[in-house]
Amino acid sequence: MILEFSWLAIARVNNLLELLQFPFMQRAIAGAILMGILGGFLGGFVTLRQLSFFSHAVGHAALVGVALGVLLQLNPTWMLLPFTLAFGLIVLYLIDQTNLSSDSVLSVVLSGALAIGVILSSLIQGYRGNLMGVLFGDILAIDTSDLILTGLVLIGSLIFLLPTLRQQILLTLNPTMAQVQGIPVRLYRYAFVVLLSLAVAVAIKAVGVLLVNAFLVIPAATAKLMSHQFTRFLVISVMLGVVSSIVGIILSGLLNFASGPSIVLVQFLLFTFIFSWVKLVWKTA
């Protein structure tokens, strides 16, 4: 029994090594690294600014863009970009212009977008592979244009956030103080929403509409358990995003699991392990 299991494990490892020779697997690894950095970096700000439900709403409302892309026989990814961007900006504008709480506005707009998305999906005739692929994600299906797009969003995020990191930290921790000190809070908020919406759009193809929020939030939440120093927290979040993405792809190749859920499962297991470890250390300290 043990010998049989060993041979099976060796066979799976050999299959994985063979898979790594194919261009689609190499693109998936490159995409995992880029998306891991992007998700961990932006996810740190998302978690501390309590925008988790916002990214969740943008991801799920993207169903409208996906359905439109399939109906119009266009690449769903390219339809996702303008739709998620418009959705994020409209929601932020409504939050600023009404007396309703942000979660109320998000719930209203998300419900309407989901209703439209379901109706549009019901109009799709025949094969729905593109729709299902975007809903549940498949990082093995990303192409060169997806890598370029992810790289551009990542570069844009780094260019915007790193030079203004001190202002971003103050805005994250104390928005009122940031406004008093002359930081353009409104401009920074809208710019960050643009980046977050684009990040959600490019990550959807890898992990799917249903899991994209976890991809952004779990590494940052795990990092927050490990450090309360902002810069160190961001670095840990990025490292966890990259490592979990690569390990998730390897797990997917070894066990023939879906790639998107495999990545999120690894992130969840890391969170559970580190949470348990922190609690154990705290109790014994």
Side-chain angles (χ1 to χ4, degrees):
M1 185 67 181
I2 296 177
L3 183 61
E4 182 180 349
F5 178 79
S6 299
W7 278 111
L8 180 61
I10 293 172
R12 289 189 178 277
V13 171
N14 288 333
N15 289 338
L16 177 63
L17 294 176
E18 290 178 5
L19 282 175
L20 291 174
Q21 307 302 316
F22 290 98
F24 75 87
M25 194 66 177
Q26 295 167 3
R27 287 194 298 269
I29 295 293
I33 294 172
L34 290 174
M35 292 181 188
I37 296 173
L38 181 62
F41 185 57
L42 291 184
F45 292 94
V46 167
T47 302
L48 294 181
R49 294 182 182 180
Q50 298 182 343
L51 291 173
S52 300
F53 187 42
F54 185 93
S55 59
H56 172 81
V58 172
H60 280 65
L63 177 62
V64 177
V66 177
L68 279 174
V70 176
L71 280 172
L72 299 176
Q73 297 183 346
L74 299 173
N75 187 335
T77 302
W78 293 107
M79 289 299 296
L80 281 174
L81 289 172
F83 180 80
T84 54
L85 182 57
F87 180 87
L89 291 174
I90 289 172
V91 167
L92 189 56
Y93 175 79
L94 290 175
I95 291 173
D96 288 342
Q97 297 300 316
T98 65
N99 294 323
L100 297 174
S101 61
S102 59
D103 59 340
S104 297
V105 173
L106 283 167
S107 297
V108 170
V109 181
L110 173 61
S111 299
L114 278 176
I116 296 171
V118 172
I119 291 173
L120 290 176
S121 301
S122 67
L123 300 177
I124 299 173
Q125 303 295 325
Y127 177 66
R128 301 188 183 188
N130 287 339
L131 179 61
M132 293 299 105
V134 178
L135 280 177
F136 298 103
D138 184 6
I139 199 171
L140 300 178
I142 63 175
D143 53 29
T144 304
S145 63
D146 295 315
L147 291 178
I148 293 173
L149 194 57
T150 305
L152 290 175
V153 176
L154 175 58
I155 291 171
S157 302
L158 295 175
I159 290 175
F160 171 66
L161 291 171
L162 288 182
T164 61
L165 188 58
R166 288 184 180 275
Q167 294 94 319
Q168 298 293 342
I169 292 174
L170 182 58
L171 174 59
T172 300
L173 301 179
N174 195 332
T176 304
M177 181 63 70
Q179 192 164 11
V180 169
Q181 292 195 6
I183 295 174
V185 173
R186 186 180 180 89
L187 174 63
Y188 281 7
R189 286 177 66 231
Y190 275 84
F192 184 77
V193 164
V194 168
L195 292 173
L196 178 58
S197 300
L198 293 176
V200 168
V202 297
I204 279 175
K205 189 168 185 179
V207 294
V209 166
L210 301 179
L211 295 174
V212 68
N213 188 57
F215 186 76
L216 283 166
V217 173
I218 295 179
T222 307
K224 193 176 180 182
L225 294 174
M226 302 173 68
S227 176
H228 295 290
Q229 201 277 331
F230 196 92
T231 305
R232 190 181 298 118
F233 156 72
L234 279 182
V235 172
I236 295 174
S237 179
V238 169
M239 291 174 61
L240 290 173
V242 173
V243 170
S244 60
S245 297
I246 295 175
V247 173
I249 291 178
I250 294 174
L251 182 67
S252 172
L254 285 174
L255 303 178
N256 198 27
F257 290 163
S259 57
S262 297
I263 293 172
V264 175
L265 176 62
V266 171
Q267 293 177 341
F268 173 73
L269 292 176
L270 277 173
F271 174 84
T272 304
F273 171 77
I274 292 175
F275 175 80
S276 302
W277 179 75
V278 169
K279 285 293 185 181
L280 181 63
V281 169
W282 181 81
K283 284 182 178 180
T284 56

